[in-house]
Amino acid sequence: MATEPEFVVDFPTLWVTCDWIEQHCIVPDGFRKGEPFEMYDWQLWCSANHYRVKPAARVGQLATAFHYRRSQAVAPQKTGKGPWTAAICAAEAVGPVVFAGWAAGGERYDCRDHGCGCGWVYVYEPGEPMAIPWPTPLIQLTAFSVEQTDNVYRPLQSMIRNGPLGELMKVGEEFIRLPNDGRIDVVTSSAMSRLGNPVTFVMQDETGIWTVTNKMDRVATTQRRGAAGMGGRTMETTNAWDPAEDSVAQRTSESSRPDIFRFHRLPPASLSYKNKAERRKIHRHVYAGSRHVDLDAIEAEAAELLEKDPAQAERFFGNRIVYGAGAWLEGDRWDARADPRVVPDGTAVVAGFDGSDVDDWTAIRLETEDGYQFTPTYGPDRRPTIWNPAEWSGQVPRLEVDAAVDEIFTRFRVIRWYGDPPGWETEHDQWAARHGEKRVIRFETYRPVQMHAAAERLFTDVMKAESTFTQDGCPITATHVRNARKVARPSQRYVLGKPSQQQKIDACVTSIICHEAAGDVTAAKLWPSKGRRKLVVMR
């Protein structure tokens, strides 16, 4: 295994599965066709994590024996996702992928015990997790179209026909027959009749284009339910997606569930994809380890696509999540301002608040005098002050928000609080009564003149090189910044809007409000003098 920190395996995993793949799968095409399929470091890293076993796993457990319920790998075009996922499908079909207990040392996995006559034997180390094949594997290989399923299905067919797997698996045009009445089915948007079947493994390819519009979001959730019922698991692979489309890949990436493994090698945010020299550095970073890739060929393809669709070029070859035209702020420019630090209690700050109830999110952001903006935490478990109503039985927890506000005013020296009040008028009035009407001020985001100026202030301070603005790298805020789109208003002004109802911008709006408060406090010279210990409450 590679020694870089990115690829250190310090957890129990089914090494027998990884070794089985390299023993039984072959390079499916090209000049090295027929040679043993040796996984690249990133492929081996993803495999080791997908087959990571819980230390407390017990014999008889299926999906629950593993640390991750499902996996996602995001990588640019031509990195080798297809052959690797074909190898994973082969292992799930006839290889050792079901947890079978912990080795005392010296136990053996012998292919001859499982119908394979290749003679390969794996000897377990003491304490290593062991595995056996599924008794009746039922696998679905899924993509939006037949052409896309070929990215995985053709390499899998070649591995079977031209290697040792041929004696165990029989290849057809639309399915592969496995021992004990198992099978691998190809599923597309035009073959929905297979959905709902019980499955032991599902491979979902190019989920970055699986959306509500093409109904592939239903395919994804239906297949996951089918796998869950059998104790099976799923894996998805994709190029970087357009965040305006609210794809299955985006939902997976943004999920807060800890039992999803995600691999997405992002290039440094400071590098511009439009600059040829910096684009080369980006390609070198995201294609690292994929030895078959010719970066000169990638550059030629990317440069041509840049002429017509720069956002698509950056997604396909730069592995970045970027919008097309209309985005308020480039996400990588926001990310480049990330410089997380601890803000001590008692620090003078300003605050921004944007509230909702049952659909949009509620958020609070703070900013210090030197231009550092962050999402504070509250309560005994130090929760961030961002509330998604979906995680609170469909409604923002108003008492939680109120408790967080009180804690913020207690912990920090809040010089000014700007809040967007719709739906929170009563609470906002109560906060003003508690903490001072000259400190707690309404900031209506529906007013285009006021909101346009505030958005332009933050945009400018993020973009200009000499700005001292920094931020904490809050991932939710970063996503909401990427979601924000310009909505035109008269007199060449704009307010911010959402690309779709599912894609929220509330934390971005809160960030704008907070930064406006900081600018106004600076202009009014209200920041406390150095060494001043007490805050004069303005009532």
Side-chain angles (χ1 to χ4, degrees), residues 20-58:
W20 184 95
I21 287 174
E22 296 191 347
Q23 177 67 30
H24 291 80
C25 297
I26 62 170
V27 176
D29 50 33
F31 291 107
R32 296 179 53 242
K33 181 177 180 178
E35 295 181 14
F37 183 78
E38 180 181 349
M39 285 187 276
Y40 297 144
D41 282 352
W42 72 265
Q43 295 169 335
L44 188 55
W45 172 248
C46 292
S47 302
N49 275 278
H50 185 73
Y51 293 108
R52 178 178 178 177
V53 178
K54 295 177 181 176
R58 304 186 307 275

Side-chain angles (χ1 to χ4, degrees), residues 310-336:
Q312 187 178 69
E314 191 165 0
R315 289 195 299 269
F316 280 8
F317 301 109
N319 212 32
R320 282 176 168 165
I321 309 301
V322 291
Y323 282 108
W328 171 64
L329 178 67
E330 294 180 14
D332 58 339
R333 300 300 293 268
W334 175 263
D335 293 342

Side-chain angles (χ1 to χ4, degrees), residues 40 42-43 73-84 151 205-206 237-241 263-267 273 279 281-290 292-293 295 298 302 312-321:
Y40 297 144
W42 72 265
Q43 295 169 335
V74 184
Q77 286 193 326
K78 310 303 180 184
T79 48
K81 297 190 297 293
W84 169 63
N151 293 336
D205 189 51
E206 285 306 331
T237 58
T238 186
N239 295 131
W241 53 88
F263 176 78
H264 187 175
R265 181 184 277 152
L266 286 166
Y273 199 73
R279 186 166 64 247
K281 294 178 181 178
I282 291 172
H283 291 163
R284 191 177 298 117
H285 180 86
V286 299
Y287 285 95
S290 295
H292 67 285
V293 173
L295 292 184
I298 294 297
Q312 187 178 69
E314 191 165 0
R315 289 195 299 269
F316 280 8
F317 301 109
N319 212 32
R320 282 176 168 165
I321 309 301

Side-chain angles (χ1 to χ4, degrees), residues 175-193:
F175 72 94
I176 295 172
R177 193 175 302 281
L178 306 176
N180 300 323
D181 295 323
R183 58 189 287 153
I184 300 175
D185 285 313
V186 175
V187 178
T188 68
S189 58
S190 61
M192 297 301 187
S193 60

Side-chain angles (χ1 to χ4, degrees), residues 106 113 150 334 407 434 453:
D113 296 335
D150 284 346
W334 175 263
E407 183 173 329
R434 288 180 211 162

